[in-house]
Amino acid sequence: MWFSLVSGQMIMNEFLKQIVCCPRCRGDLREDAAALVCESCHSSYAVVDGIPLFVSQDALDTSCGISLEKWDQHYTGFDAQRTIDEYRLQYESDVNMLFDHAMSGMRISSRTVLEIGCGPAPSRPYWSSRGFAYAGMDFSLSVLKKVQALPPTGSAGNNFVCGDILHPPFKENAFDLIWGSGVIEHFKDTAGALAVMRRILRPGGRIIATFPCLSLGALTYRQVWGNIPDVLFVREIAEFVHITLLRKRLMRFGYEYSFSERRIRDLVKKASLELIDFGHFDIITTFEYVSNDWLRTIFRKMEKWRPFWAMAYMIAEK
């Protein structure tokens, strides 16, 4: 059988059955006791609290290892429902408009979406309301356990896997859309990550991603977050300072690049994708290290100017 019962709930429903595969050889999986086993290479994957565990610590590169370490720290004592509520108040409207924009003029066949680095998966209501089958993937098992405990959204229930986007446990051409909020910057091999995403997209499918924008802000205040501007020489200097000298103390979000529009265009082209759009994505930066309220207000207004953009978005098509 393709499912087992954990606390009375199925862990592999029909949707996951159709799209999940072995991340090592992409072979079909079968259930064996409390694990999923590849029928081709015989690799075994545990199922923990109803979540298939496909992350291999040995397979993570240095950048992913740093990011996983920092995000696991962040998720200690994490309140998933509170984070979802804050998302709905602060970001949901802007994110939903980005989704609407990304799907404009797109031919959608199967209505399937994958959220990479899903965390508490706050975008699920949007996709459910539009008839999409949703899958969420994160490399942190701790956050997936927390969101798995929340009520399911949509008829397919909770479809979460613990996995690494460089070695995704999904079949080719599985998704119409891949969405990642602040994810693609955490891979040293960003072009490689985009190429892997392309493989699991259907022809005509699109990637929607937000990420730190390389700007004067990234070169100044985002350095207190350990940001690595992805530009020759500056990148190497920032890595040396944040990883070697400061021993990752300021790397709040793990290994984190910031990208210029030119760099994004280059990365998308290397991954054999077509860039549909690039633009500003507005966020609320706290500037908690600035004590003066008036200065914080000024800085937030400055972030809307192109030289100081904090975040940007891209839409790319296969």
Side-chain angles (χ1 to χ4, degrees):
M1 296 180 64
W2 257 91
F3 61 87
S4 64
L5 294 176
V6 176
S7 300
Q9 294 185 348
M10 289 188 299
I11 61 170
M12 292 293 287
N13 58 29
E14 191 64 26
F15 173 50
L16 284 183
K17 171 183 175 180
Q18 293 174 2
I19 62 174
V20 171
C21 68
C22 174
R24 293 188 174 94
C25 73
R26 298 199 288 278
D28 290 334
L29 298 171
R30 61 178 171 81
E31 187 184 75
D32 184 6
L36 300 174
V37 178
C38 177
E39 293 184 341
S40 297
C41 70
H42 308 295
S43 296
S44 179
Y45 304 97
V47 178
V48 180
D49 291 348
I51 303 165
L53 183 58
F54 293 108
V55 168
S56 171
Q57 297 289 340
D58 296 336
L60 296 178
D61 66 10
T62 302
S63 60
C64 292
I66 294 173
S67 297
L68 179 58
E69 174 190 344
K70 293 294 182 176
W71 280 102
D72 271 343
Q73 291 174 7
H74 173 71
Y75 289 134
T76 301
F78 180 76
D79 187 328
Q81 187 59 59
R82 178 180 176 182
T83 300
I84 292 172
D85 293 341
E86 290 174 351
Y87 166 89
R88 288 172 179 164
L89 286 173
Q90 298 179 5
Y91 301 111
E92 186 174 48
S93 176
D94 289 337
V95 173
N96 288 357
M97 284 192 294
L98 176 59
F99 294 157
D100 290 340
H101 174 54
M103 289 192 290
S104 177
M106 181 183 175
R107 291 181 297 174
I108 299 174
S109 57
S110 65
R111 305 191 81 80
T112 53
V113 61
L114 169 66
E115 182 172 6
I116 56 174
C118 65
S123 72
R124 282 187 299 163
Y126 174 93
W127 302 113
S128 177
S129 68
R130 284 154 178 80
F132 277 80
Y134 171 97
M137 182 173 72
D138 203 292
F139 60 5
S140 174
L141 180 61
S142 60
V143 72
L144 293 178
K145 286 182 177 181
K146 293 176 186 295
V147 71
Q148 181 84 323
L150 298 177
T153 300
S155 59
N158 289 339
N159 299 308
F160 297 110
V161 298
C162 187
D164 166 19
I165 194 57
L166 293 176
H167 311 89
F170 300 111
K171 298 177 181 179
E172 293 185 12
N173 307 318
F175 298 100
D176 289 302
L177 288 158
I178 297 176
W179 153 240
S181 175
V183 178
I184 65 171
E185 67 270 21
H186 295 298
F187 302 94
K188 197 161 190 175
D189 182 13
T190 311
L194 290 173
V196 171
M197 289 184 234
R198 182 186 184 280
R199 189 183 75 222
I200 61 178
L201 270 181
R202 288 190 173 89
R206 292 183 177 178
I207 297 171
I208 314 166
T210 61
F211 46 85
C213 185
L214 179 54
S215 64
L216 292 176
L219 297 171
T220 53
Y221 69 84
R222 287 193 76 91
Q223 290 307 301
V224 303
W225 297 349
N227 184 262
I228 310 287
D230 191 18
V231 60
L232 192 62
F233 301 129
V234 178
R235 176 179 58 236
E236 286 72 21
I237 292 171
E239 285 180 345
F240 177 75
V241 170
H242 288 302
I243 297 175
T244 304
L245 292 184
L246 298 179
R247 299 181 182 276
K248 303 178 287 187
R249 286 197 299 273
L250 297 182
M251 300 179 82
R252 182 183 305 185
F253 305 111
Y255 193 96
E256 179 198 75
Y257 277 141
S258 53
F259 302 111
S260 65
E261 180 178 357
R262 180 176 179 179
R263 180 60 174 153
I264 284 293
R265 290 186 178 277
D266 180 55
L267 291 168
V268 167
K269 184 178 180 180
K270 286 182 178 178
S272 299
L273 294 161
E274 178 186 356
L275 187 66
I276 301 299
D277 196 16
F278 173 95
H280 178 232
F281 186 78
D282 198 19
I283 62 169
I284 300 173
T285 305
T286 58
F287 295 105
E288 67 270 17
Y289 49 85
V290 178
S291 58
N292 187 284
D293 291 339
W294 180 81
L295 281 177
R296 282 202 297 268
T297 301
I298 294 297
F299 289 159
R300 289 192 187 111
K301 290 182 178 179
M302 289 174 64
E303 275 196 333
K304 298 181 184 297
W305 302 346
R306 179 65 180 262
F308 297 96
W309 282 2
M311 296 287 286
Y313 72 84
M314 74 159 196
I315 303 167
E317 184 175 276
K318 178 176 177 178

